[in-house]
């Protein structure tokens, strides 16, 4: 630029800010390039000092490093000053002009060399300057180039910056004061030498840390394994450590070191020697090993082989885990038949012990639950040993407990034989020929008594052929043996349990088909056929259910008589089905459907026992329940007679015509229901008696109900509800009596229906009252009930609670096919919610259940 004066004026005024920024950018670039090693070193040293790294190394090493850092910083400062050049105004102007297209600032500094005095040339020159001024007015300061990656290829500056950020977040500026003392040669502060120390017990003890300066006593009681940390400040050597609690022999270091850290493992002394020092006698609290013990009381095995083994465990600071190990007691095994050969080696059974989820683990009781029915040692002598451990990795072992390995019991002879051969096959593969021989003998001409289902016979024959095909040289491969053992187990379970699930499904399908036939007006032949299917399916289901109950009672389960739940005799169910059939023959489909619905509910909710009544038949509660049941039957007989008389009024002879084969107007199957109650009054139904005689019988039945209400046992909310229900029943009977005397048979039927509903409610409430009374009696005698707290389950398996609350401690979806059971429950809820005959309140409840689940 030849003439700088040409840049004065408005152009320079507009360029003042961009030019200043450009100059500042040049200054920043040169400072960074010249001094980046210096500030990188300073940042790294500051981060180390703020994090206290100098306190974790020896004093001599820390002092040497600080001196080296100081010398290095001085050297880098000298080098940086030598490299640094202060930027000039001309350099800034050239940088700014280079960032503009056409270099307009350089053009504005030039002067016209040729064509002076020529008007055209001067006009052209002025036009050129105006364009350059316009371009210069748009000048912007260029961005400075601060990249020094070429000078720092390893990114040392970023490493130092990261360390400084971490130190600012987690370190302390005050830690740099100790470095200043080192730089001053360890000069003692005004107050003389000082120290501080902590004792940190192991974390699993849950005990707080101790600050040694606050411990005034001469004796310290601390847990084994506590960590002691000491720091000395001031002149090096003014304070020294003397201790006998760590039992260290290596890596001790000098007693005058500024920092000490060690674990306490024995009794001894801890002394800080020097001005302001202290001394303590240390008593170590030992960490005892955990202990565990098996509890023989309360051990039980369910009918399906699920073991429940109680145990206790203790530790001074808490048990962290443990295992139960089952080992075969070979010396106690009865070595006969398939157990005569030496057993194949098997690893002990190791089960993890359950730990409390909440609460303390220092002293607790738990129950080990598992099912080992399919193991080769099922029912064989074993020893059980518990091993527990604590947080210090110490272990404790219980005394061995001898027992027979809990497993499922099989009562069906064929199922027990199959399980025995399965055990022999798993005991030693050399038993394969003997097992095949026994199975072949079992399946030779089995007849119709050994196998209920031909499919089970075919399964056993298939297993036999597979066993003989896999046996070579008197043995069988392990994989084939395990597959055959699983097949034998599945067959034994099918033989033992029978087809209870299929029988229940067939019974439900028969109920559905019969209900549909009643709604669609099927013929008598079709109804008779469907009714017979229902009888067969019910008989099959009852037979399987009875066998299952016997198995449960035989496998350490409470007897069915010990449970407070309503039971029905098989004859009662047959009577109910006879009544349904009679109602359908008479054309009373609405009543038949209602009776069918009651039958379905009973089959779903009640436990069926064959050939026996419930518990407490001789007790006052049982007698009251029998009396109310007899009253209900008599009331049903009166209602039937009133209905037949109503038919006779409008269609003489219709009552007898609709019930062919009835004697004296009594339907078949009603002998047991009506004869007992009605015969005492001397009036037989359907004998043409006047309504007055029915009214007298109704009055007598009402008087009998009033007498029963006065002798009703029990107290509490359930007993009061039962009495209120019987009051309603008595009022309904009174209304029915008055309607019979007035000759209004339709109104009498309605009131009699109300009386029967109230009677059913009273019987249900009486059952609840009896259950509560029995639970209180058991609680007073110190006897545990079937559920926690001595409470008894209701017919649905739920536990009655305080007030109106109910709950269950068990899993209602038990068994292997829980998904099938859940699907069945959902299907049943959908079916009931779609029945228009059900009360709206019940349907709303069912819909809410479906919306939730």
């Amino acid at each position: 630029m030849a003439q700088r004066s040409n840049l004065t004026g408005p152009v320079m005024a507009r360029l003042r800010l961009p030019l200043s920024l450009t100059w500042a950018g040049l200054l920043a670039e040169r400072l960074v390039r010249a001094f980046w090693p210096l500030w990188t070193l300073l940042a790294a040293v500051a981060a180390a000092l703020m994090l206290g790294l100098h306190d974790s190394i020896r004093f001599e090493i820390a002092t040497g490093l600080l001196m080296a850092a100081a010398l290095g910083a001085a050297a880098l400062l000298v080098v940086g000053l030598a490299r640094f050049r202060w930027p000039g105004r001309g350099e800034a102007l050239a940088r700014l002009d280079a960032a503009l297209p056409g270099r307009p600032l350089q053009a504005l500094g030039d002067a016209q060399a040729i064509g002076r005095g020529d008007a055209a040339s001067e006009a052209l020159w002025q036009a050129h300057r105006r364009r350059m001024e316009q371009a210069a007015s748009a000048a912007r300061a260029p961005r400075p180039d601060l990249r020094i990656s070429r000078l720092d290829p390893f990114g040392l500056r970023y490493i130092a910056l990261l360390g400084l950020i971490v130190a600012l977040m987690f370190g302390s500026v005050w830690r740099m004061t100790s470095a200043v003392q080192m730089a001053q040669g360890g000069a003692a502060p005004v107050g003389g030498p000082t120290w501080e120390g902590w004792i940190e017990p192991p974390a699993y003890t849950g005990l707080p840390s101790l600050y040694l300066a606050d411990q005034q006593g001469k004796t310290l009681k601390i847990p084994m394994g506590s960590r002691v940390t000491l720091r000395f400040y001031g002149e090096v050597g003014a304070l020294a450590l003397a201790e006998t609690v760590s039992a260290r022999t290596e890596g001790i270091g000098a007693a005058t070191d500024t920092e000490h850290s060690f674990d306490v493992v024995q009794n001894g002394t801890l002394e800080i020697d020097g001005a302001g020092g202290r001394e303590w006698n240390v008593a170590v609290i030992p960490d005892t090993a955990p202990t565990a013990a098996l509890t023989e009381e309360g051990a039980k095995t369910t009918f399906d082989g699920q073991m429940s083994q109680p145990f206790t465990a203790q530790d001074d600071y808490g048990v962290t885990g443990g295992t139960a190990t089952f080992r075969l007691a070979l010396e106690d095994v009865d070595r006969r038949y398939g157990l005569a050969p030496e057993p194949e080696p098997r690893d002990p059974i190791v089960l993890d012990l359950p730990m409390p989820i909440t609460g303390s683990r220092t002293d607790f009781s738990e129950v080990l639950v598992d099912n080992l029915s399919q193991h080769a040692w099922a029912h064989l002598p074993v020893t059980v040993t518990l091993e527990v451990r604590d947080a210090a990795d110490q272990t404790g072992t219980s005394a061995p407990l001898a027992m027979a390995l809990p497993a499922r019991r099989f009562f069906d002879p064929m199922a027990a034989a199959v399980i025995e051969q399965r055990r022999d096959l798993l005991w030693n593969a050399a038993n394969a020929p003997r097992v095949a021989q026994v199975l072949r003998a079992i399946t030779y001409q089995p007849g119709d008594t050994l196998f209920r289902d031909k499919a089970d016979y075919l399964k056993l024959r298939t297993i036999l052929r597979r066993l003989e095909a896999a046996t070579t040289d008197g043995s069988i491969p392990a994989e084939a043996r395990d597959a055959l053992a699983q097949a034998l187990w599945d067959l034994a379970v099918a033989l033992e349990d029978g087809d209870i699930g299929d029988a229940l499904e067939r019974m439900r399908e028969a109920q559905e088909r019969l209900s549909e036939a009643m709604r669609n007006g099927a013929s008598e032949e079709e109804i008779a056929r469907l009714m017979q299917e229902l009888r067969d399916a019910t008989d099959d289901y009852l037979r399987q259910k009875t066998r299952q109950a016997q198995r449960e009672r035989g496998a350490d389960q409470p007897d069915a008589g010990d449970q407070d739940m309503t039971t029905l005799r098989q004859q009662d169910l047959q009577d109910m089905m006879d009544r349904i059939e009679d109602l359908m023959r008479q054309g009373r489909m609405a009543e038949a459907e209602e009776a069918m619905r009651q039958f379905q509910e009973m089959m779903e909710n009640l436990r069926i026992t064959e050939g026996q009544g419930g518990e407490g038949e001789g007790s006052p509660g049982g007698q009251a329940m029998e009396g109310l049941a007899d009253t209900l039957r008599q009331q049903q007989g009166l209602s039937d007679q009133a209905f037949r008389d109503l038919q006779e009024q409008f269609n003489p002879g219709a009552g007898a015509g609709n019930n062919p084969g009835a004697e004296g107007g009594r339907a078949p199957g009603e002998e047991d229901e009506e004869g007992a109650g009605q015969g005492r009054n001397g009036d037989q139904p359907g004998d043409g008696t006047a309504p007055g005689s029915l009214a007298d019988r109704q009055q007598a039945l009402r008087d009998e109900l009033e007498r029963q209400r006065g002798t009703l046992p029990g107290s509490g909310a359930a007993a009061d509800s039962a009495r209120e229900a019987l009051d309603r029943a008595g009022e309904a009977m009174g209304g029915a009596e008055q309607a019979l005397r007035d000759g209004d048979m339709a109104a009498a039927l309605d009131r009699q229906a109300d009386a029967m509903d109230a009677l059913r409610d009273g019987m249900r409430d009486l059952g609840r009252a009896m259950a509560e009374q029995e639970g209180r009696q058991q609680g007073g005698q110190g006897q545990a009930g079937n559920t926690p707290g001595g409470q008894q389950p209701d017919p649905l398996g739920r536990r009655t609670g305080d007030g109106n609350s109910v709950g269950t401690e068990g899993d209602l979806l038990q068994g292997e096919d829980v998904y099938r059971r859940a699907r069945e429950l959902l299907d049943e809820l959908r079916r009931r919610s779609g029945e228009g005959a059900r009360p709206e309140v019940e349907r709303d409840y069912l819909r809410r259940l479906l919306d939730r689940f």
Side-chain angles (χ1 to χ4, degrees):
M1 296 182 185
Q3 298 180 5
R4 298 297 180 187
S5 60
N6 293 337
L7 292 177
T8 59
V11 175
M12 287 303 300
R14 287 194 299 270
L15 293 178
R16 184 173 291 109
L17 179 60
L19 187 60
S20 300
L21 294 176
T22 303
W23 179 84
L26 284 174
L27 179 62
E29 290 178 2
R30 295 181 180 181
L31 286 174
V32 169
R33 289 187 174 90
F35 298 103
W36 73 266
L38 176 63
W39 62 256
T40 298
L41 177 61
L42 294 178
V45 172
L49 294 177
M50 292 171 65
L51 291 175
L53 299 181
H54 57 288
D55 294 333
S56 60
I57 58 179
R58 297 177 62 87
F59 171 77
E60 295 80 1
I61 298 176
T63 304
L65 292 176
L66 287 176
M67 293 178 62
L71 293 176
L76 293 177
L77 178 61
V78 173
V79 173
L81 291 175
R83 292 179 178 178
F84 179 74
R85 290 188 305 105
W86 194 267
R89 182 173 178 275
E91 293 174 330
L93 191 61
R95 170 69 69 83
L96 181 62
D97 189 28
L100 296 174
R103 292 186 174 270
L105 298 182
Q106 183 178 359
L108 291 175
D110 293 338
Q112 184 176 359
I114 58 176
R116 288 186 178 182
D118 183 8
S121 297
E122 290 183 356
L124 180 60
W125 176 256
Q126 293 300 327
H128 170 66
R129 286 185 60 86
R130 284 193 297 271
R131 285 196 298 271
M132 293 298 102
E133 290 177 358
Q134 184 178 2
S137 62
R140 297 292 186 271
R143 180 177 301 176
D145 184 11
L146 302 179
R147 292 175 298 178
I148 55 174
S149 55
R150 180 179 59 84
L151 302 176
D152 184 17
F154 299 106
L156 299 178
R157 62 192 186 282
Y158 294 127
I159 297 175
L161 181 60
L162 177 61
L164 182 61
I165 294 175
V166 172
L168 291 174
M169 294 176 61
F170 304 102
S172 175
V173 179
W174 301 109
R175 290 186 176 180
M176 301 176 67
T177 57
S178 59
V180 176
Q181 296 175 5
M182 292 181 182
Q184 295 175 354
V190 177
T194 60
W195 59 270
E196 59 181 350
W198 303 267
I199 297 179
E200 299 175 276
Y204 62 82
T205 63
L207 298 176
S209 299
L210 300 179
Y211 188 61
L212 281 176
D214 295 338
Q215 307 306 311
Q216 302 299 329
K218 295 290 294 182
T219 302
L220 295 177
K221 294 183 178 181
I222 58 178
M224 176 78 71
S226 297
R227 187 76 173 173
V228 178
T229 302
L230 292 171
R231 289 179 181 174
F232 298 156
Y233 305 108
E235 183 179 356
V236 176
L239 297 174
L241 171 66
E243 56 88 10
T244 59
V245 296
S246 65
R248 295 178 296 172
T249 58
E250 297 179 356
I252 299 177
T256 57
D257 288 346
T258 59
E259 184 170 352
H260 300 270
S261 184
F262 52 89
D263 293 333
V264 177
V265 298
Q266 64 184 14
N267 297 331
T269 60
L270 177 63
E271 181 182 1
I272 300 176
D273 188 12
R278 299 275 295 278
E279 181 181 2
W280 298 272
N281 295 320
V282 178
V284 174
I285 302 174
D287 187 354
T288 58
T291 59
L294 290 162
T295 305
E296 296 188 24
E297 296 182 1
K300 62 180 180 179
T301 305
T302 60
F303 77 96
D304 61 347
Q306 181 171 277
M307 168 193 65
S308 298
Q309 177 60 56
F311 68 92
T312 59
Q314 302 85 27
D315 185 67
D316 44 5
Y317 296 114
V319 178
T320 60
T323 57
T325 304
F326 295 78
R327 292 182 173 86
L328 179 65
L330 189 59
E331 64 278 3
D332 297 332
V333 177
D334 187 6
R335 303 292 296 277
R336 295 188 299 169
Y337 308 117
L339 301 181
E342 288 298 320
E344 295 182 0
R346 287 183 180 271
D347 295 332
I349 304 173
V350 180
L351 303 178
D352 292 331
L353 293 177
M355 294 289 113
I357 300 177
T358 60
S360 174
R361 294 188 179 182
T362 56
D363 188 354
F364 64 91
S365 299
E366 273 291 343
V367 179
L368 174 64
V369 179
D370 210 318
N371 196 324
L372 304 174
S373 299
Q374 298 191 45
H375 198 272
W377 299 343
H379 296 297
L380 293 180
V382 295
T383 58
V384 188
T385 305
L386 301 184
E387 183 178 283
V388 291
R389 58 184 177 276
D390 60 9
D393 207 21
Q394 300 180 106
T395 59
T397 305
S398 68
L401 176 65
M403 65 166 63
L405 186 65
R408 176 172 181 167
R409 296 174 59 188
F410 290 84
F411 299 93
D412 184 88
M414 179 57 66
V418 171
I419 286 299
E420 181 180 356
Q421 299 311 306
R422 175 184 180 272
R423 181 203 63 187
D424 295 347
L425 187 62
L426 292 175
W427 180 264
N428 194 312
N431 284 329
R434 179 184 178 276
V435 172
Q437 184 180 11
V438 174
L439 293 181
R440 183 168 293 279
I442 292 175
T443 56
Y444 178 72
Q445 294 183 353
D448 298 331
T449 59
L450 292 181
F451 295 93
R452 293 188 306 270
D453 191 348
K454 292 183 179 179
D456 295 335
Y457 169 74
L458 295 176
K459 290 179 182 178
L460 187 56
R461 293 292 295 183
T462 302
I463 294 173
L464 175 60
R465 287 193 295 269
R466 291 171 56 190
L467 176 61
E468 292 177 340
T471 302
T472 56
D473 298 331
S475 184
I476 185 173
E479 295 182 359
R481 179 194 61 185
D482 295 340
L484 289 171
Q486 184 62 43
L488 288 171
W489 173 266
D490 296 338
L491 176 59
V493 171
L495 291 170
E496 177 72 15
D497 293 342
D499 52 350
I500 184 171
D502 296 336
L504 177 61
E505 188 64 26
R506 289 199 305 272
M507 185 181 67
R508 289 177 176 174
E509 292 178 358
Q511 293 172 0
E512 292 293 337
R513 287 196 297 269
L514 184 57
S515 299
E516 188 68 22
M518 287 189 292
R519 288 192 293 267
N520 296 335
S523 62
E524 293 185 3
E525 293 78 6
E526 183 68 14
I527 290 178
R529 183 182 64 81
L530 294 175
M531 196 68 199
Q532 187 60 40
E533 288 184 5
L534 178 59
R535 291 178 186 273
D536 296 340
T538 304
D539 291 341
D540 193 12
Y541 174 72
L542 291 178
R543 184 182 69 255
Q544 299 297 338
K545 193 70 175 177
T546 302
R547 293 186 59 193
Q548 183 181 17
Q550 293 174 352
R551 288 196 303 271
E552 293 180 2
R553 292 196 295 272
D556 300 333
Q557 291 295 313
D559 188 79
D562 296 335
Q563 302 180 11
D564 176 34
M565 53 177 57
T566 304
T567 60
L568 290 179
R569 293 184 295 271
Q570 186 172 356
Q571 184 60 38
D572 295 334
L573 293 178
Q574 296 297 335
D575 293 342
M576 292 183 65
M577 287 188 285
D578 290 340
R579 176 172 176 76
I580 293 172
E581 187 173 7
D582 293 339
L583 290 174
M584 289 188 296
R585 287 176 180 175
Q586 297 173 20
R588 299 157 62 180
M589 292 300 177
E591 296 182 43
E593 289 185 16
E594 177 64 20
M596 189 67 188
R597 183 185 65 80
Q598 296 175 5
F599 175 79
Q600 291 175 345
E601 291 181 354
M602 288 184 181
M603 294 303 297
E604 291 170 359
N605 299 338
L606 303 181
R607 172 165 296 189
I608 311 301
T609 59
E610 187 174 4
Q612 60 178 345
E615 177 195 7
E617 290 182 355
S619 63
Q623 294 175 359
M625 187 69 75
E626 288 183 359
L628 291 178
D630 184 63
T631 301
L632 179 59
R633 286 194 295 268
Q634 294 183 43
Q635 183 61 69
Q636 182 66 55
L638 281 176
S639 178
D640 293 343
Q641 182 60 42
F643 181 78
R644 284 192 287 270
D645 290 351
L646 180 62
Q647 285 183 318
E648 189 69 22
Q649 291 179 4
F650 296 96
N651 187 11
N658 290 336
N659 190 8
E663 182 179 355
R666 182 184 300 126
E670 292 181 359
E671 176 74 31
D672 296 336
E673 294 184 1
E674 300 179 10
Q678 298 166 4
R680 291 190 296 267
N681 295 310
D683 297 329
Q684 297 299 330
D687 58 359
T689 57
S693 62
L694 290 179
D696 294 339
R697 290 163 57 189
Q698 184 69 72
Q699 181 181 3
L701 193 60
R702 180 186 179 189
D703 295 340
E704 176 64 18
L705 178 64
E706 186 64 26
R707 184 192 65 80
Q708 293 173 351
R709 184 190 178 281
T711 60
L712 203 65
S715 61
D720 294 340
S721 299
R723 293 185 177 89
E724 293 176 1
L726 295 185
D727 287 340
R728 295 198 307 272
E731 294 176 359
M733 287 182 180
E737 176 192 350
Q738 186 61 41
L740 289 172
R741 297 190 187 279
D742 296 340
D744 189 354
M745 305 300 289
L749 288 173
D750 292 339
R751 299 301 291 164
Q752 287 172 342
D754 295 339
M756 288 186 289
D757 291 339
L759 279 172
R760 294 189 185 98
D761 294 340
M763 294 174 65
R764 182 170 57 251
D765 293 335
L766 178 59
R768 289 174 51 198
M770 293 170 61
E772 293 176 359
Q773 183 177 4
E774 182 182 357
R776 288 193 295 269
Q777 292 175 354
Q778 290 181 350
Q781 298 171 1
Q783 296 175 354
N786 295 331
T787 55
Q791 298 169 340
Q792 299 293 329
D794 65 3
L796 295 178
R798 301 174 298 186
R799 177 176 57 82
T800 57
D802 298 332
N804 296 326
S805 64
V806 295
T808 176
E809 297 290 342
D811 188 1
L812 296 181
L813 291 179
Q814 295 180 354
E816 298 180 356
D817 199 357
V818 296
Y819 299 104
R820 175 184 174 185
R821 178 59 178 157
R823 185 172 62 253
E824 291 175 353
L825 290 175
L826 284 176
D827 293 341
E828 182 65 17
L829 288 176
R830 295 190 183 98
R831 183 186 67 80
R832 294 191 180 190
S833 64
E835 294 180 353
R838 292 186 178 273
E840 187 63 27
V841 176
E842 180 181 356
R843 295 172 63 192
D844 290 342
Y845 172 71
L846 294 174
R847 283 193 289 268
R848 289 196 300 272
L849 282 180
L850 289 173
D851 292 342
R852 182 175 182 181
F853 298 104

